[in-house]
Amino acid sequence: MFNRVFIIAEAGVNHNGDLQLAKKLVDAAVQSGADAVKFQTFKAEDVVTPGAERAQYQKDNMPEKDESQLEMIKRLELSYAQFRELYAYCRHKGIIFLSSPFDQESIDFLAALGVPYFKIPSGEITNYPFLRRIAGKKRPVILSTGMATLGEVEGALRVLREAGATDITLLHCTTNYPALPEEVNLRAMLTMRQAFALPVGYSDHTIGIAIPIAAVALGAEVIEKHLTLDRTFPGPDHRASLEPGEFKEMVAAIRQVEKSLGDGIKRPAPGELAVMPAARRSLVAARDIAAGEIITESCLTAKRPGTGIPPNFWDVVVGRQARRDIAAGSILSWDMI
């Protein structure tokens, strides 16, 4: 699906329900070098029941507010008209607009809007009717797998494929805000790649940039990370987000690591070729060797530079006859023996 690591700036609901703040997040994503900026599209009443409590991390991140989950996400909701404006704004700024739907109607809206990929949030991995609706849109799918077992991932993949999805990327994720590094278990990303033979990536909720960079080194093809203008803003996700300067630093580090991965073939790098003569050794005459003399081990040593016979040919040279006089300290070449 991607020809380089695809970096998603997860704006999510960090706009706090304010369209102008959402546009500033788009600007920050562009300036950071992200490939896409992603929001969350939902009709609050279609997502949560009136009596549902907030998740513990939401209570921890907003202890000053005494409200239900419905009241909280209602404040964070943007209208479809506002999303149309955001989509146009992203196109104008030259960045891919993405948004995770959280209800059936929002799936249809985003498909009509023209999103190039559907990003499925972790909480919907067992929502089979939801998965079927997305698969039916015939777009590439990025599936987050936070909170899921390998069996649940397998079940979601079966449903998606049966409903028509053919291009799927799996994101490993730890669904907590912030997530503890010791609970990340990055090797599970590799387990999914091996189990399902699919591209994998990582959706990060830890503090800082170290873990997503490590994920790229392990083979992540997609990185998703929350972006905020200010971590002290009120809201459920700001605390586990990167501020613009940090996000830009992460993108730069990922691109550097990405360049370093190479093709896996073990061979000298182009820059090493010029170093080899100075760093490697050659066979050198340890003493004067007379023409016709049989070369013994006592005749040889190995010294820099590596411009003559390499010392891995030591056993080949020993026992041969010198063609001419060889002065002590001479670098041996094949025409001497």
Side-chain angles (χ1 to χ4, degrees):
M1 188 189 300
F2 309 106
N3 56 18
R4 66 173 189 169
V5 177
F6 189 66
I7 302 175
I8 302 171
E10 170 65 281
V13 293
N14 281 348
H15 49 70
N16 289 353
D18 182 339
L19 178 61
Q20 296 311 309
L21 183 55
K23 289 182 177 180
K24 290 179 180 179
L25 285 165
V26 171
D27 293 339
V30 170
Q31 292 161 10
S32 75
D35 296 297
V37 58
K38 190 180 78 67
F39 295 91
Q40 297 176 8
T41 305
F42 53 86
K43 294 291 184 70
E45 289 82 359
D46 293 336
V47 176
V48 61
T49 58
E53 290 190 11
R54 291 180 293 162
Q56 187 58 50
Y57 80 87
Q58 293 167 341
K59 295 177 181 178
D60 293 341
N61 292 345
M62 296 185 295
E64 74 283 357
K65 286 196 174 291
D66 183 15
E67 60 184 358
S68 68
Q69 188 178 158
L70 177 60
E71 290 170 329
M72 178 191 71
I73 67 172
K74 187 65 179 174
R75 289 189 296 102
L76 304 174
E77 182 180 319
L78 293 177
S79 69
Y80 287 170
Q82 289 173 315
F83 275 118
R84 290 188 189 95
E85 190 171 338
L86 265 182
Y87 178 80
Y89 189 75
C90 286
R91 294 194 66 176
H92 173 68
K93 291 291 184 175
I95 192 168
I96 295 171
F97 169 92
L98 297 176
S99 190
S100 291
F102 283 80
D103 56 78
Q104 301 271 9
E105 184 182 345
S106 293
I107 295 172
D108 296 341
F109 166 74
L110 290 171
L113 191 62
V115 293
Y117 316 109
F118 267 104
K119 167 65 199 317
I120 301 176
S122 292
E124 308 305 324
I125 198 166
T126 58
N127 187 350
Y128 286 0
F130 182 89
L131 299 181
R132 292 188 184 103
R133 186 76 156 248
I134 284 181
K137 301 303 179 183
K138 310 298 183 184
R139 311 281 168 89
V141 170
I142 303 172
L143 175 65
S144 270
T145 62
M147 305 174 287
T149 64
L150 196 65
E152 288 173 330
V153 176
E154 183 179 22
L157 287 173
R158 174 179 52 79
V159 169
L160 286 167
R161 286 166 169 158
E162 288 175 353
T166 58
D167 192 343
I168 304 171
T169 299
L170 298 173
L171 297 194
H172 178 55
C173 177
T174 303
T175 307
N176 207 352
Y177 303 80
L180 299 174
E182 57 266 32
E183 294 187 352
V184 165
N185 190 19
L186 273 182
R187 290 193 179 99
M189 179 181 72
L190 306 182
T191 298
M192 291 195 297
R193 183 173 64 186
Q194 182 177 16
F196 304 118
L198 288 174
V200 294
Y202 175 59
S203 180
D204 184 55
H205 300 139
T206 63
I207 299 294
I209 67 174
I211 310 301
I213 294 168
V216 171
L218 283 176
E221 298 183 38
V222 177
I223 291 293
E224 180 181 73
K225 181 80 172 177
H226 275 73
L227 172 66
T228 181
L229 297 185
D230 188 334
R231 252 193 310 274
T232 65
F233 279 173
D237 299 337
H238 293 284
R239 184 180 166 200
S241 303
L242 293 179
E243 293 181 351
E246 298 166 323
F247 204 99
K248 186 174 183 178
E249 182 183 357
M250 182 193 74
V251 171
I254 286 172
R255 295 298 178 219
Q256 189 172 11
V257 169
E258 184 178 31
K259 288 179 182 178
S260 77
L261 293 176
D263 59 14
I265 299 172
K266 180 57 182 169
R267 61 182 183 275
E272 289 182 302
L273 296 175
V275 177
M276 285 172 65
R280 288 194 170 184
R281 300 191 183 213
S282 300
L283 293 180
V284 172
R287 59 173 175 80
D288 291 337
I289 305 172
E293 183 179 349
I294 300 300
I295 297 172
T296 63
E297 292 203 358
S298 65
C299 297
L300 301 177
T301 187
K303 295 182 180 181
R304 294 175 179 175
T307 54
I309 299 175
N312 53 309
F313 285 96
W314 180 287
D315 293 341
V316 175
V317 172
V318 170
R320 293 205 177 191
Q321 191 176 46
R323 290 190 177 190
R324 59 177 184 265
D325 290 340
I326 304 171
S330 298
I331 296 173
L332 268 62
S333 58
W334 290 112
D335 61 354
M336 294 178 176
I337 59 174

